[in-house]
Amino acid sequence: MPVIFKPERYLINLQIKKFAHYIKGDILDVGAGKSDRYSNLFNKKKYVTTDQNPNFDVDIVANAQNLPIDNESYDSVISTQTLEHLPDPQKAVKEFYRVIKKGGYCLVTVPFFNELHDEPFDFWRFTKYSLEKIFKDSGFKIVILEQRGGFFAVICQLVVRYLINKFDLAKKRWGKLANPFFKVFAKIMFFLDEMDNNQKNRKFALGWLVLAQK
């Protein structure tokens, strides 16, 4: 299948790179999915992947809400675009807290504006206020809570995802021909977000990154 440019995935990658230096040592990737997107960004001793889908090539097949892992086993936990697919995201964050060593960091990304995906297992969208509550109630200290994208990035993502879905571009060999147009469109929209410092712009977000410490 062709690799199709997705604005939010591009911004997520930039966000994780920005804070990757916090994530080190023995790392647990919860909800890793079928492809290794981020392990090369971290200073790691060991990188262990988990996902509940048995068809994915992961180290541990498990649900994030009930990890078969001993207490304080890992220096760091990363989980990207996973909490929205869990019936009880609070329970998963408590599991993150349980398996991280004292002083270790947890890095999580979640969506706010996004189309329905991976149905019917698409349960939640998060505000910064819900994330603050979930992580603090789980025992974490929030170090960074950063917004991803503004109004123009949201519009860009929605347009691109609509076209990908409507024309099934991810499953067609010629789908990647759309990439140059998507990238130029995204570059313009990201620039408009940078130029627009109005607080009304910041009421729109593609999603959030949370960096929390035990």
Side-chain angles (χ1 to χ4, degrees):
M1 292 188 294
V3 177
I4 307 296
F5 176 82
K6 302 176 183 69
E8 184 171 37
R9 280 293 173 188
Y10 174 80
L11 293 177
I12 288 171
N13 193 64
L14 289 181
Q15 271 194 316
I16 293 174
K17 280 184 179 179
K18 183 177 178 180
F19 302 112
H21 58 282
Y22 286 95
I23 307 301
K24 60 186 70 173
D26 292 341
I27 302 170
L28 182 68
D29 185 337
V30 182
K34 58 185 176 182
S35 60
D36 181 359
R37 291 189 176 100
Y38 306 115
S39 67
N40 64 321
L41 300 179
F42 307 117
N43 181 16
K44 57 187 180 295
K45 291 182 181 177
K46 179 172 68 174
Y47 195 88
V48 177
T49 56
T50 77
D51 201 283
Q52 66 179 0
N53 191 328
N55 297 317
F56 294 163
D57 184 20
V58 294
D59 300 306
I60 302 172
V61 176
N63 188 290
Q65 300 163 129
N66 188 22
L67 296 170
I69 295 169
D70 293 337
N71 294 350
E72 300 192 345
S73 298
Y74 288 88
D75 299 297
S76 309
V77 167
I78 177 173
S79 184
T80 63
Q81 309 301 94
T82 296
L83 292 186
E84 70 269 24
H85 299 297
L86 302 173
D88 190 346
Q90 176 83 71
K91 189 173 181 182
V93 175
K94 287 181 178 179
E95 283 290 87
F96 300 167
Y97 186 86
R98 180 181 67 79
V99 303
I100 292 178
K101 297 175 184 177
K102 182 69 174 177
Y105 288 92
C106 176
L107 188 154
V108 172
T109 70
V110 295
F112 181 47
F113 274 99
N114 215 323
E115 83 286 355
L116 285 170
H117 58 286
D118 293 337
E119 298 174 70
F121 304 106
D122 190 7
F123 300 116
W124 307 104
R125 298 295 181 268
F126 299 90
T127 68
K128 63 181 180 180
Y129 306 108
S130 63
L131 291 169
E132 285 176 348
K133 179 170 176 55
I134 288 171
F135 277 83
K136 288 180 179 178
D137 287 354
S138 299
F140 279 108
K141 172 188 174 183
I142 294 177
V143 178
I144 294 162
L145 178 51
E146 184 177 85
Q147 182 170 336
R148 183 168 58 257
F151 172 79
F152 295 100
V154 168
I155 296 301
C156 179
Q157 171 72 6
L158 295 181
V159 169
V160 169
R161 285 301 322 194
Y162 173 77
L163 293 174
I164 290 172
N165 294 341
K166 181 176 176 60
F167 298 106
D168 210 13
L169 297 181
K171 295 181 179 179
K172 294 179 178 171
R173 291 183 179 180
W174 53 266
K176 64 182 179 181
L177 296 176
N179 279 350
F181 303 98
F182 289 166
K183 289 179 180 179
V184 170
F185 179 43
K187 187 174 182 179
I188 293 170
M189 299 302 268
F190 296 163
F191 174 77
L192 291 175
D193 265 341
E194 289 180 8
M195 294 298 101
D196 186 357
N197 295 317
N198 192 297
Q199 286 302 309
K200 303 302 181 184
N201 177 293
R202 310 315 291 173
K203 288 183 176 292
F204 297 83
L206 281 172
W208 311 89
L209 178 143
V210 182
L211 181 73
Q213 186 178 31
K214 180 172 180 176

